[in-house]
Amino acid sequence: MGNQPKRVFRKKETADFNAGLFREGILKGDRAILAKAITLVESHSAHHAEMAQILLQQLSDIESDSIRIGISGVPGAGKSTFIEALGSFLCSKGHKVAVLAVDPSSNLSGGSILGDKTRMEELSRNPRAFIRPSPTGGTLGGVHRKTRETITLCEAAGYDVILVETVGVGQSEAAVRQMVDFFLLLVLTGAGDELQGMKKGIMELTDAILVNKADGANLGPARKTMGEYNGILHFIQPATKGWTTKAYTCSAATGQGIKEFWEVIQTFQRTAKDSGVFDGRRQEQLKDWMQALITDRLHSLFYQSEAVHGRLSSFQNDVLAGQKTAPLAVEELFAAFIAGIK
Ligand SMILES: Nc1nc2c(ncn2[C@@H]2O[C@H](COP(=O)(O)OP(=O)(O)O)[C@@H](O)[C@H]2O)c(=O)[nH]1
Ligand SMILES: [Mg+2]
């Protein structure tokens, strides 16, 4: 088996692409094959994208009893340390844990989770864990799509806890909320200051707020902060119907509160499954995903069209020069676009 994965990928790619072999490898939990499949999903080549779609289609019948958890928080909140602690705990309980990242800024930084691998040293060596840095390049929409497909691949490979980390910038949080069952916000003490700057919108996305670094001299302040968050959460519409978003404390460094947090997740999963909210959300997410794909597709079809390309800048100039109104310019552009695709 050891040599197979390399051969699958090195051969002349399209004609010989053996989705069946990939499927088999993934179902066996072969990490090398899983990594290669993710590389296909993340690739910018249309050709690889096509191969990825064939494979995803072949995996669409795989059932998975997974939980997808989004984890957000400002840099320094302790996300990586927390994922290391939670991930290692879950692996020891027999779970298989995949850690993915959505980081639109990684185009520039080269992927923050990479540097973080040192903070996830134990987890990255654990045979039950799989850590994948954020795909680089492309728009947030593109990164979103790739991460969604990567989740599918990881679940097919038997990973039943999917942790999706994101940096605390508004847009990526909303994108991650769209692909997870449970959304966690990690915060630090000093809620007073932080809450002022924190957008209510982010709190509306969360299913739990964890005040991290509740250890040593910080234990008291962390508990106080938890109380403050709980006070505010009273006035905020919960992210999940039938679930009350609450604040808790933990120490990712000592492991205190990690087991209790997992119990919260399990209660959430049970409650949301019993009420139908869990499956309902996943269905909604599939619909949204499809909608996003259509929008993406239309967008690129429009801007890549010769008819649009050839006219866009002169129409823009006309509008700027006051020779055409913006709506008229758009009307004419669309007329040209539609004529071009007929
Ligand atoms: N005392 C304490 N320090 C922590 C805890 N969690 C993380 N840290 C430290 O906080 C810093 C930032 O943590 P990191 O996991 O890299 O945060 P991230 O940027 O959100 O991924 C590191 O120096 C960690 O060692 C904790 O529970 N207690
Ligand atoms: Mg980090």
Side-chain angles (χ1 to χ4, degrees), residues 8 31 52 54 56 86 88 105 135 142 186 188 194 200 223 226 228 246 253 264 268-269 313 331:
V8 176
R31 300 160 64 98
I54 295 171
L56 286 163
L86 178 66
S88 303
S105 67
L186 269 191
L188 297 170
E194 206 177 305
K200 195 172 145 243
R223 292 213 173 116
M226 174 183 81
E228 287 165 0
K246 284 191 201 139
V264 170
F268 172 90
Q269 198 173 8
S313 66
E331 199 58 46

Side-chain angles (χ1 to χ4, degrees), residues 236-259:
I236 288 181
Q237 173 95 23
T240 304
K241 222 166 111 203
W243 176 253
T244 311
T245 301
K246 284 191 201 139
Y248 310 84
T249 61
C250 83
S251 167
T254 68
Q256 189 75 38
I258 296 290
K259 180 170 153 279

